[in-house]
Amino acid sequence: MDAESGGVDRSGLIGRSVELEELEARLAAVVGGAGSVVLIEGEAGIGKSALANEVAAIAARRGLRVFAAGTATDRGPVQPFTLLVRTLLSLGPPATDVERELAGLIGKYREDWALWSSPDQTDERTQIEELFADLLIERAAGGPSVVLLEDLHLVDDASLRVLERLAAGGAVPSTMLVATTRTVPRRPELVTAVAAWTRAGAAPLEVPALTPQAAIELGERLLGHRAGPVLRARLSAAGGNPQFIVDLVTAVQESDALVDGADGVVELAGNVVLRDLNQQLSARVAHVGNEALALLSVAAVLGSSFMEADLAAVAEMPEEETWRVLRHCSAAGLVQARGGRLTFRHDLVRDALYAGLTLAVRRDLHRRASLVLFEAGAPAAVVQEHLARAEDPHGDRE
Ligand SMILES: Nc1ncnc2c1ncn2[C@@H]1O[C@H](COP(=O)(O)OP(=O)(O)O)[C@@H](O)[C@H]1O
Ligand SMILES: [Mg+2]
């Protein structure tokens, strides 16, 4: 596949040629001595780490040095400065004055963390922040480099404070800072740091959903086969989220749900319910919080697209409150809002939430939905469908 069709590039990433081109242009500028800051943003699983790691790999191939601490889960417990210590101090024993001084100061706080919050330590905290800035500049003096800061949404506050302070000096020459972050949660410390970097000229790079074509290509590559129409429809229901596609293919392979069709095509067998997938996806989106999950589960009963007013009525929640929670879901990339209408971004997630409702709750919600939609003037067939589901003793109608 060529770049035009959004196909596989050298990296093995699918459908990311536009993003990689932009990042490669920035890398070239950094080799030329410029400073650059890129903030890679997007929903969980959309491919932020994959993209950031690819930039790092390209940089390494071009002879740039790469400083990276891995993703938040690799970094272990969130101790102060974990991100920056792992990123910038990870190259062996302290070798310069700045490194030695910094290692000493941080060591003291790591042993007795309670010290950190003491008001007497303000000067020392400032000193640490300044030393990190010096360290980054010292690293930059060693030649062009890429500093990868993963998962800012999970980063310790102390590291965020340093990053904020660094922004005041602007981009560091010959250095490309690449940070990744989810759109939620947005802690105040992160918002402040991002604001400071935005003022310093950081480029936001919002990672888009894979196109439907790229999504199917990824699924087929993982399957090792072309997919039949039912399976393709499931792949499309991932809403272009590569992680959900990986999860879907894994679940399908593990549950013996595949049958061979003609011409090497594989297809989903009958009306399989992928329970593991439903549980996996519910867990993947749990980071939005219980309140949002509960409301989205009610929304799942209404359908792929629903009106906010209808959801408020079925959920028996004030509209303002409903809207507040939905805005959060929208920021997390789980729903899209247009006027008063909302649409699930990934039908796979909607299915998973629906499957997670107990039969009694599901039937009750369908009953309430039938009343609300009847009052709102929805077509009789739609109202009837909810009533039928409310009265279905097994709740297994598709
Ligand atoms: N463009 C892509 N092509 C192929 N696989 C991808 C692509 N983007 C992400 N992936 C895969 O999808 C999964 C989730 O991507 P990841 O980068 O970890 O997401 P995020 O960091 O945004 O949560 C990983 O297994 C990754 O290898
Ligand atoms: Mg990641």
Side-chain angles (χ1 to χ4, degrees):
M1 280 249 176
D2 57 22
E4 238 166 89
S5 64
V8 186
D9 38 59
R10 198 165 32 114
S11 64
L13 288 189
I14 291 173
R16 294 293 184 229
S17 41
V18 173
E19 291 73 22
L20 281 173
E21 244 170 59
E22 174 179 343
L23 290 165
E24 291 208 42
R26 286 178 170 272
L27 265 186
V30 165
V31 172
S36 187
V37 181
V38 184
L39 186 60
I40 299 180
E41 284 179 297
E43 68 192 49
I46 200 71
K48 302 177 293 296
S49 299
L51 200 53
N53 288 326
E54 185 51 31
V55 182
I58 294 171
R61 282 203 294 273
R62 299 224 175 122
L64 281 81
R65 288 162 324 136
V66 175
F67 301 98
T71 61
T73 37
D74 306 332
R75 290 197 295 265
V78 184
Q79 274 197 332
F81 296 120
T82 300
L83 173 76
L84 293 173
V85 169
R86 288 282 177 93
T87 311
L88 292 172
L89 277 177
S90 58
L91 303 181
T96 67
D97 288 346
V98 174
E99 284 180 41
R100 266 188 290 276
E101 205 178 338
L102 197 48
L105 279 172
I106 286 176
K108 171 176 139 187
Y109 284 108
R110 294 198 136 194
E111 266 164 38
D112 182 5
W113 186 232
L115 260 185
W116 183 254
S117 32
S118 143
D120 310 340
Q121 308 299 323
T122 321
D123 288 350
E124 227 166 51
R125 284 202 298 265
T126 309
Q127 201 185 340
I128 290 179
E129 288 166 10
E130 282 169 355
L131 280 167
F132 265 118
D134 293 346
L135 184 61
L136 197 59
I137 290 161
E138 200 172 84
R139 292 267 180 263
S145 63
V146 171
V147 178
L148 206 58
L149 303 167
E150 273 260 54
D151 295 332
L152 290 192
H153 58 285
L154 298 173
V155 153
D156 63 282
D157 292 350
S159 288
L160 286 176
R161 280 269 308 157
V162 176
L163 290 177
E164 183 197 334
R165 177 175 282 266
L166 278 176
V172 182
S174 299
T175 304
M176 180 150 151
L177 274 182
V178 180
T180 65
T181 180
R182 272 188 208 160
T183 38
V184 294
R186 279 249 141 153
R187 287 158 35 223
E189 293 79 6
L190 177 55
V191 172
T192 314
V194 168
W197 276 110
T198 303
R199 293 191 184 104
L205 195 166
E206 173 108 28
V207 184
L210 294 180
T211 62
Q213 190 193 4
I216 287 174
E217 194 183 326
L218 174 57
E220 292 187 334
R221 190 213 273 175
L222 294 167
L223 283 162
H225 292 278
R226 284 197 297 125
V230 179
L231 191 47
R232 287 165 83 94
R234 293 274 80 195
L235 288 168
S236 300
N241 183 305
Q243 183 66 66
F244 296 169
I245 293 172
V246 171
D247 291 342
L248 171 64
V249 171
T250 309
V252 162
Q253 285 171 333
E254 283 175 0
S255 64
D256 280 335
L258 287 178
V259 288
D260 291 328
D263 304 326
V265 168
V266 291
E267 187 53 292
L268 264 189
N271 224 342
V272 282
V273 179
L274 299 166
R275 281 182 223 294
D276 291 350
L277 176 67
N278 287 336
Q279 277 169 12
Q280 168 86 288
L281 292 181
S282 299
R284 291 239 186 252
V285 300
H287 64 87
V288 283
N290 290 337
E291 191 187 30
L293 273 188
L295 189 64
L296 286 177
S297 300
V298 177
V301 168
L302 282 171
S304 292
S305 289
F306 54 93
M307 296 307 295
E308 186 256 331
D310 298 344
L311 175 61
V314 175
E316 293 172 327
M317 248 168 95
E319 275 204 46
E320 251 173 56
E321 190 70 3
T322 313
W323 194 235
R324 181 183 61 76
V325 180
L326 285 174
R327 267 211 313 272
H328 174 70
C329 297
S330 164
L334 292 172
V335 294
Q336 264 168 344
R338 292 271 180 285
R341 185 196 65 202
L342 288 112
T343 306
F344 276 94
R345 266 262 304 116
H346 330 84
D347 269 326
L348 283 186
V349 170
R350 182 216 155 199
D351 294 348
L353 294 175
Y354 186 82
L357 294 167
T358 64
L359 184 53
V361 169
R362 195 185 302 172
R363 290 175 67 186
D364 185 48
L365 288 171
H366 277 298
R367 192 186 46 77
R368 269 149 59 185
S370 71
L371 294 175
V372 167
L373 290 169
F374 174 76
E375 299 235 318
V382 173
V383 174
Q384 193 52 47
E385 175 67 20
H386 281 292
L387 268 181
R389 284 174 184 256
E391 282 153 21
D392 180 359
H394 306 298
D396 54 4
R397 292 165 58 101
E398 268 305 308

